[in-house]
Amino acid sequence: MNDSLMRAVEARREEVVALTRDLIAFPTVNPPGEAYTPCAEYLAGYLRRMGFQTQMIRGEGSPGDTDRYPRTNVVARREGRAPGPTVHFNSHIDVVEAGAGWTVDPFAGTVRYGRVYGRGACDMKGGLAASMIAVGAFLEIHPDHPGAIEISGTVDEESGGFGGVAHLARKGFFSKPRVDHVIIPEPLNKDRICLGHRGVWWAEIETKGRIAHGSMPFLGDSAIRHMGAVLHAFEHELFPALDAKQTRMPVVPEGARRSTMNINSIHGGQTEDFFPGLPAPNVADSCRIVIDRRFLLEEQIDTVKEEVVSILDRLKRDRPSFDYAMRDLMEVLPLMTERDAPVASAVAEGIRAIFRREPDYVISPGTYDQKHIARIGHLHDCVAYGPGILDLAHQPDEWVGIEDMVESAKVMAIGLEALLVRPRH
Ligand SMILES: [Zn+2]
């Protein structure tokens, strides 16, 4: 281990705290996408002082982008002294709403018990700050490194990343030859490497009926009862079948190490949302559900859809007057970077050096911005690694440990050395 590099990270302990507090003070709440531009400008100024060239890129035309709430991203790049690979640290600057239940001001960056508190402290302004001091320390020790380093602060991760990483990926910011290795400092715990995520398929299913007076339902055809038949079939056939599908993906928590499906919503009949709060006595002519199916590397998306469609088609054959429509809302394929990929090996080397143990390799149950880097950028050497305890994300009194930030910055600095100064791949 390079002791001078470790000392250079240690020397930035105060800096990482100040940086995290400054970042928390921008209430970059999404939705609606508050304070993105001042936060991105603050980062750009900071990175320029570290010798980076910066670019502001607005996610124009993306969901939520307006003059009142511009989707402002910052991408910073610093060229080395010789040709070589590029390592990119990508962090999202948006946070979810503070919500109720806080005992400290969510945007004050209160420091207490060796922790920085605030909305986004853990997810993921602490990770962004840690990656910045890792880079600062690396540049102090290796001013003549080959290759290049990039740091980006991107928006809208919490709402799908369309105005952030997806927008940048479409413009070539996450593709070779510009970038080779990507680390996303999401709060996965400082000794774990996140290699990817399960797949997602969202769809809306609508059953159809015929409206009639509620006192004579036999004259109509209830879409809600048809949906009941769908849910019954899901309950007795689909859910047990999904539960039996295990994966080699190391998903955490362990309950997600299989196929799952959630029914996100159900709506049938007339709404109650009006005065005096009662719907008219009608037989429902439509009932809709939105399903959220999470699938595995071992599954094909076509098969995932077919399992649902075959149940619906069978009901159509067997159940009098049953009819349905299905609409795809979103699909993302599952992703898993291999453990021996260059960026995963480099971070693993840092974890071994700092914690004297093998890293845990994990897969996220849900997706994050890596999906856009893989699917749009076609860049597969990407992992998520950063400080912070995942369970604290989006909670009241969210915090990040100062020691955790320093230690994970050491891991990232060692990872940078492995990728840029002594590449073995
Ligand atoms: Zn996050």
Side-chain angles (χ1 to χ4, degrees), residues 92 94 122-124 157-158 186-187 368 393-394:
H92 65 83
D94 58 318
C122 155
D123 184 12
M124 59 178 289
E157 191 276 344
E158 299 289 2
E186 285 273 11
Y368 53 98
H394 301 199

PDB file of all heavy atoms in Angstrom, residues 92 94 122-124 157-158 186-187 368 393-394, ligand 1:
ATOM      1  N   HIS A  92     -24.972  11.206  -8.440  1.00  0.00           N
ATOM      2  CA  HIS A  92     -26.162  12.037  -8.660  1.00  0.00           C
ATOM      3  C   HIS A  92     -26.249  13.074  -7.563  1.00  0.00           C
ATOM      4  O   HIS A  92     -25.900  12.807  -6.407  1.00  0.00           O
ATOM      5  CB  HIS A  92     -27.440  11.192  -8.761  1.00  0.00           C
ATOM      6  CG  HIS A  92     -27.868  10.447  -7.545  1.00  0.00           C
ATOM      7  ND1 HIS A  92     -28.607  11.032  -6.532  1.00  0.00           N
ATOM      8  CD2 HIS A  92     -27.688   9.160  -7.160  1.00  0.00           C
ATOM      9  CE1 HIS A  92     -28.873  10.139  -5.601  1.00  0.00           C
ATOM     10  NE2 HIS A  92     -28.313   8.984  -5.944  1.00  0.00           N
ATOM     11  N   ASP A  94     -29.140  14.876  -7.054  1.00  0.00           N
ATOM     12  CA  ASP A  94     -30.509  15.044  -6.570  1.00  0.00           C
ATOM     13  C   ASP A  94     -30.752  14.186  -5.329  1.00  0.00           C
ATOM     14  O   ASP A  94     -30.074  13.177  -5.113  1.00  0.00           O
ATOM     15  CB  ASP A  94     -31.538  14.710  -7.667  1.00  0.00           C
ATOM     16  CG  ASP A  94     -31.420  13.292  -8.216  1.00  0.00           C
ATOM     17  OD1 ASP A  94     -30.281  12.827  -8.445  1.00  0.00           O
ATOM     18  OD2 ASP A  94     -32.463  12.632  -8.414  1.00  0.00           O
ATOM     19  N   CYS A 122     -26.027  10.453   2.940  1.00  0.00           N
ATOM     20  CA  CYS A 122     -25.669   9.083   2.588  1.00  0.00           C
ATOM     21  C   CYS A 122     -25.912   8.845   1.092  1.00  0.00           C
ATOM     22  O   CYS A 122     -25.035   8.317   0.400  1.00  0.00           O
ATOM     23  CB  CYS A 122     -26.499   8.177   3.503  1.00  0.00           C
ATOM     24  SG  CYS A 122     -26.832   6.543   2.928  1.00  0.00           S
ATOM     25  N   ASP A 123     -27.028   9.265   0.584  1.00  0.00           N
ATOM     26  CA  ASP A 123     -27.432   8.999  -0.805  1.00  0.00           C
ATOM     27  C   ASP A 123     -27.552  10.305  -1.569  1.00  0.00           C
ATOM     28  O   ASP A 123     -28.613  10.885  -1.623  1.00  0.00           O
ATOM     29  CB  ASP A 123     -28.763   8.239  -0.803  1.00  0.00           C
ATOM     30  CG  ASP A 123     -29.219   7.830  -2.189  1.00  0.00           C
ATOM     31  OD1 ASP A 123     -28.425   7.934  -3.125  1.00  0.00           O
ATOM     32  OD2 ASP A 123     -30.382   7.411  -2.324  1.00  0.00           O
ATOM     33  N   MET A 124     -26.442  10.805  -2.183  1.00  0.00           N
ATOM     34  CA  MET A 124     -25.119  10.263  -2.126  1.00  0.00           C
ATOM     35  C   MET A 124     -24.073  11.370  -2.167  1.00  0.00           C
ATOM     36  O   MET A 124     -23.066  11.281  -2.838  1.00  0.00           O
ATOM     37  CB  MET A 124     -24.888   9.270  -3.286  1.00  0.00           C
ATOM     38  CG  MET A 124     -25.080   9.912  -4.668  1.00  0.00           C
ATOM     39  SD  MET A 124     -24.742   8.749  -6.038  1.00  0.00           S
ATOM     40  CE  MET A 124     -22.949   8.565  -5.958  1.00  0.00           C
ATOM     41  N   GLU A 157     -31.447  11.053 -10.823  1.00  0.00           N
ATOM     42  CA  GLU A 157     -31.305   9.608 -10.621  1.00  0.00           C
ATOM     43  C   GLU A 157     -32.516   9.056  -9.903  1.00  0.00           C
ATOM     44  O   GLU A 157     -33.007   7.972 -10.210  1.00  0.00           O
ATOM     45  CB  GLU A 157     -30.030   9.294  -9.818  1.00  0.00           C
ATOM     46  CG  GLU A 157     -29.665   7.807  -9.797  1.00  0.00           C
ATOM     47  CD  GLU A 157     -30.381   6.985  -8.728  1.00  0.00           C
ATOM     48  OE1 GLU A 157     -30.957   7.571  -7.788  1.00  0.00           O
ATOM     49  OE2 GLU A 157     -30.384   5.751  -8.829  1.00  0.00           O
ATOM     50  N   GLU A 158     -33.011   9.830  -8.929  1.00  0.00           N
ATOM     51  CA  GLU A 158     -34.128   9.358  -8.109  1.00  0.00           C
ATOM     52  C   GLU A 158     -35.416   9.224  -8.908  1.00  0.00           C
ATOM     53  O   GLU A 158     -36.363   8.598  -8.453  1.00  0.00           O
ATOM     54  CB  GLU A 158     -34.340  10.296  -6.908  1.00  0.00           C
ATOM     55  CG  GLU A 158     -33.130  10.396  -5.968  1.00  0.00           C
ATOM     56  CD  GLU A 158     -32.883   9.126  -5.153  1.00  0.00           C
ATOM     57  OE1 GLU A 158     -33.621   8.137  -5.322  1.00  0.00           O
ATOM     58  OE2 GLU A 158     -31.933   9.141  -4.334  1.00  0.00           O
ATOM     59  N   GLU A 186     -22.419   5.267  -4.943  1.00  0.00           N
ATOM     60  CA  GLU A 186     -23.693   5.116  -4.222  1.00  0.00           C
ATOM     61  C   GLU A 186     -23.411   4.465  -2.863  1.00  0.00           C
ATOM     62  O   GLU A 186     -22.421   3.755  -2.699  1.00  0.00           O
ATOM     63  CB  GLU A 186     -24.653   4.222  -5.020  1.00  0.00           C
ATOM     64  CG  GLU A 186     -25.283   4.894  -6.234  1.00  0.00           C
ATOM     65  CD  GLU A 186     -26.559   5.671  -5.913  1.00  0.00           C
ATOM     66  OE1 GLU A 186     -26.878   5.879  -4.724  1.00  0.00           O
ATOM     67  OE2 GLU A 186     -27.232   6.078  -6.879  1.00  0.00           O
ATOM     68  N   PRO A 187     -24.290   4.668  -1.885  1.00  0.00           N
ATOM     69  CA  PRO A 187     -24.036   4.154  -0.523  1.00  0.00           C
ATOM     70  C   PRO A 187     -24.289   2.659  -0.402  1.00  0.00           C
ATOM     71  O   PRO A 187     -25.357   2.237  -0.011  1.00  0.00           O
ATOM     72  CB  PRO A 187     -25.039   4.944   0.325  1.00  0.00           C
ATOM     73  CG  PRO A 187     -26.166   5.230  -0.613  1.00  0.00           C
ATOM     74  CD  PRO A 187     -25.535   5.436  -1.963  1.00  0.00           C
ATOM     75  N   TYR A 368     -30.272   1.528 -10.878  1.00  0.00           N
ATOM     76  CA  TYR A 368     -29.724   2.869 -10.668  1.00  0.00           C
ATOM     77  C   TYR A 368     -29.052   3.272 -11.973  1.00  0.00           C
ATOM     78  O   TYR A 368     -29.219   2.590 -12.983  1.00  0.00           O
ATOM     79  CB  TYR A 368     -28.788   2.892  -9.451  1.00  0.00           C
ATOM     80  CG  TYR A 368     -27.701   1.842  -9.487  1.00  0.00           C
ATOM     81  CD1 TYR A 368     -26.418   2.152  -9.926  1.00  0.00           C
ATOM     82  CD2 TYR A 368     -27.964   0.528  -9.107  1.00  0.00           C
ATOM     83  CE1 TYR A 368     -25.426   1.189  -9.972  1.00  0.00           C
ATOM     84  CE2 TYR A 368     -26.973  -0.441  -9.164  1.00  0.00           C
ATOM     85  CZ  TYR A 368     -25.711  -0.114  -9.590  1.00  0.00           C
ATOM     86  OH  TYR A 368     -24.730  -1.071  -9.649  1.00  0.00           O
ATOM     87  N   ALA A 393     -30.632   5.487   3.385  1.00  0.00           N
ATOM     88  CA  ALA A 393     -31.050   6.301   2.251  1.00  0.00           C
ATOM     89  C   ALA A 393     -32.552   6.566   2.322  1.00  0.00           C
ATOM     90  O   ALA A 393     -33.328   5.671   2.651  1.00  0.00           O
ATOM     91  CB  ALA A 393     -30.699   5.589   0.943  1.00  0.00           C
ATOM     92  N   HIS A 394     -32.923   7.804   2.044  1.00  0.00           N
ATOM     93  CA  HIS A 394     -34.328   8.248   1.981  1.00  0.00           C
ATOM     94  C   HIS A 394     -35.011   8.275   3.356  1.00  0.00           C
ATOM     95  O   HIS A 394     -36.210   8.524   3.435  1.00  0.00           O
ATOM     96  CB  HIS A 394     -35.165   7.381   1.015  1.00  0.00           C
ATOM     97  CG  HIS A 394     -34.643   7.377  -0.401  1.00  0.00           C
ATOM     98  ND1 HIS A 394     -35.407   7.013  -1.470  1.00  0.00           N
ATOM     99  CD2 HIS A 394     -33.440   7.708  -0.915  1.00  0.00           C
ATOM    100  CE1 HIS A 394     -34.695   7.102  -2.594  1.00  0.00           C
ATOM    101  NE2 HIS A 394     -33.489   7.521  -2.263  1.00  0.00           N
TER     102      HIS A 394
HETATM  103 ZN    ZN B   1     -28.602   7.199  -4.839  1.00  0.00          ZN
END
